[in-house]
Amino acid sequence: MPLLGAIADDFTGATDLATMLVSRGFRTAVVIGTAAPAEPLAELDAVVVALKSRTAPVDEAVRDSLAALRSLRAAGCERIYLKYCSTFDSTPEGNIGPVVDAVLDELGAPGAVVVPSFPATGRTVHRGHLFVGDQPLAESPMRDHPLTPMRDSNLLRLLAPQTRRPVQLVGHDVVRAGADAVRARLAEFGADLVVVDAATDEDLAVIAAATADAPVLTGGAGLALGLTGPHPGRARAGSAGAGPAVVLAGSASAATRSQVTHAKTRLPHRKLDLAALRADFDGTTAELVEFVRSCWAGDPALPPLLYAVGVGDEVEPAREDDAEPAGSLLERALARCAAELVAQGARRLLVAGGETSGAVVLALGATTLHVGAQIAPGVPWCRTESDVDGERRPVDVALKSGNFGGIDIFTTAWDVLS
């Protein structure tokens, strides 16, 4: 029976956490949505539920998270890990605080730690302030994120308006004193939410040891580096096999824009045209699919790139009319392309952007992702089966958070599958 159940607030976050669990010896699968897992779970050590709840209305995020929790508990999961982004993406209302409150209430559990740190990707917490590399969160590119602009770096101030519980801090001085010191300090706080400083993987290991008996963990994927599963070195799933490939980049993050610029010098590419999609969605997506197919015919070794935003491009501002928002339209277009391309032979998809990844996976009709080789910290390949046009097809998918990966990820990700 699964030992650990996790609830992730977007699809890239789910695979981010899952690859960390695999690296720590947990045989792990990602289950799409709140329904009970469709596959037998006896051979797994961890199950991660992938939701699209990060930017959903608060009531919806809480409802879906509780439904996921009940499915995980019914499947036998003994501990729960609430996974949010390492940049603490949220709004003043949530959804991190309300979901944590609801899960703790449902389980009758006391408080929980709050640990977004992920040093391997440059996310660290010092005196309760979250840093992205050398920049405080509020001075990083996340300041102007189109969906969740982060204008404060202090996690206690960010979280306090979202929760009914007091928010406390365990600083570096306590963490560096070891797991017993952290455990003792947490016991003093009782039913509070406790932000814990962490700047290194060693800090995360201390926090994990101090919370080994906690029924609920909350954090980014980095906290999983302190956990230990029962199958070290033997937890990774294999590939679905060779086949045509495509890159679908919907993220507007600075990192993805740079990755797109790099890939454009090496891969055939086409930018999505918002005006054309608004005028003729079906015709424009059909042209994009035909472009990819023609690229496969010309050089099957080069994965074509379809992208939404490049360096220097402006993100379309909110519209005053009833037109579909740009982000939603672009996600829908890339999801349509993904489904059509899988039906026409694509077997490897690299998708950039959390919202885009969710739309693509749902369009493919995938229900479970089995976590395989890691491309970059927080970015694994996953084996799944699509269900497009009533036919099941094996597919490898990589779901990349917009901010993750090196500049060459779109051209080098395929190497670990060969």
Side-chain angles (χ1 to χ4, degrees):
M1 298 288 281
L3 302 176
L4 180 67
I7 303 168
D9 61 4
D10 77 349
F11 285 53
T12 57
T15 58
D16 176 13
L17 174 58
T19 194
M20 295 299 107
L21 292 171
V22 167
S23 75
R24 299 301 301 162
F26 291 85
R27 297 171 301 179
T28 306
V30 177
V31 176
I32 308 304
T34 62
E39 300 183 18
L41 301 180
E43 299 302 315
L44 297 175
D45 309 303
V47 179
V48 182
V49 175
L51 302 179
K52 275 177 64 71
S53 59
R54 180 171 301 170
T55 57
V58 172
D59 290 348
E60 180 181 327
V62 169
R63 181 199 67 205
D64 289 351
S65 298
L66 289 178
L69 172 66
R70 291 160 188 158
S71 292
L72 289 169
R73 296 287 287 177
C77 295
E78 299 168 5
R79 300 182 75 198
I80 299 300
Y81 190 136
L82 294 177
K83 195 277 177 192
Y84 37 78
C85 186
S86 56
T87 49
F88 214 71
D89 293 21
S90 56
T91 67
E93 298 76 27
N95 290 330
I96 295 172
V99 167
V100 173
D101 281 347
V103 168
L104 292 175
D105 290 346
E106 175 87 1
L107 296 176
V113 293
V114 177
V115 189
S117 297
F118 195 170
T121 59
R123 279 63 162 165
T124 57
V125 177
H126 179 68
R127 300 306 302 168
H129 289 75
L130 180 56
F131 286 78
V132 179
D134 293 331
Q135 295 179 305
L137 176 66
E139 298 174 21
S140 76
M142 287 301 300
R143 174 180 175 81
D144 296 315
H145 190 283
L147 297 177
T148 51
M150 303 304 292
R151 303 293 173 82
D152 194 344
S153 305
N154 186 303
L155 295 174
L156 284 76
R157 285 198 299 261
L158 287 169
L159 187 56
Q162 299 183 22
T163 177
R164 302 186 305 275
R165 289 169 165 81
V167 182
Q168 310 287 354
L169 174 67
V170 170
H172 271 126
D173 54 338
V174 179
V175 174
R176 298 293 164 82
D180 289 343
V182 173
R183 191 180 301 111
R185 184 61 58 85
L186 292 175
E188 294 175 10
F189 292 134
D192 301 345
L193 299 185
V194 185
V195 175
V196 187
D197 282 354
T200 66
D201 290 350
E202 290 75 16
D203 292 341
L204 295 174
V206 168
I207 297 166
T211 56
D213 296 327
V216 179
L217 300 173
T218 92
L223 184 56
L225 292 173
L227 305 179
T228 301
H231 297 92
R234 297 183 290 114
R236 196 175 82 180
S239 166
V246 64
V247 181
L248 305 167
S251 173
S253 74
T256 296
R257 293 188 197 210
S258 296
Q259 291 157 355
V260 165
T261 298
H262 181 273
K264 284 167 62 177
T265 66
R266 294 159 174 80
L267 303 179
H269 52 273
R270 182 70 60 85
K271 182 183 176 185
L272 275 64
D273 185 328
L274 266 175
L277 287 168
R278 293 194 191 281
D280 182 6
F281 182 86
D282 291 342
T284 301
T285 53
E287 290 176 4
L288 292 168
V289 169
E290 184 54 37
F291 164 74
V292 172
R293 293 181 70 245
S294 68
C295 293
W296 289 342
D299 187 346
L302 288 178
L305 164 67
L306 301 181
Y307 70 99
V309 184
V311 170
D313 293 339
E314 295 292 333
V315 177
E316 184 183 68
R319 297 169 62 103
E320 295 182 359
D321 57 22
D322 293 329
E324 182 176 3
S328 173
L329 181 61
L330 292 168
E331 290 161 22
R332 191 160 60 90
L334 289 171
R336 169 74 68 84
C337 290
E340 292 288 340
L341 289 168
V342 167
Q344 298 187 40
R347 293 297 176 267
R348 300 177 174 189
L349 284 70
L350 174 51
V351 188
E355 299 298 318
T356 303
S357 292
V360 166
V361 170
L362 292 174
L364 295 183
T367 58
T368 306
L369 307 177
H370 296 273
V371 180
Q374 181 173 273
I375 304 166
V379 188
W381 280 109
C382 298
R383 187 188 74 240
T384 190
E385 282 196 351
S386 69
D387 186 5
V388 178
D389 297 337
E391 182 177 343
R392 300 196 70 79
R393 302 172 177 88
V395 183
D396 286 313
V397 296
L399 310 178
K400 186 193 83 69
S401 173
N403 293 305
F404 281 11
I407 195 169
D408 60 350
I409 192 169
F410 294 158
T411 57
T412 60
W414 324 95
D415 297 344
V416 300
L417 287 175
S418 57

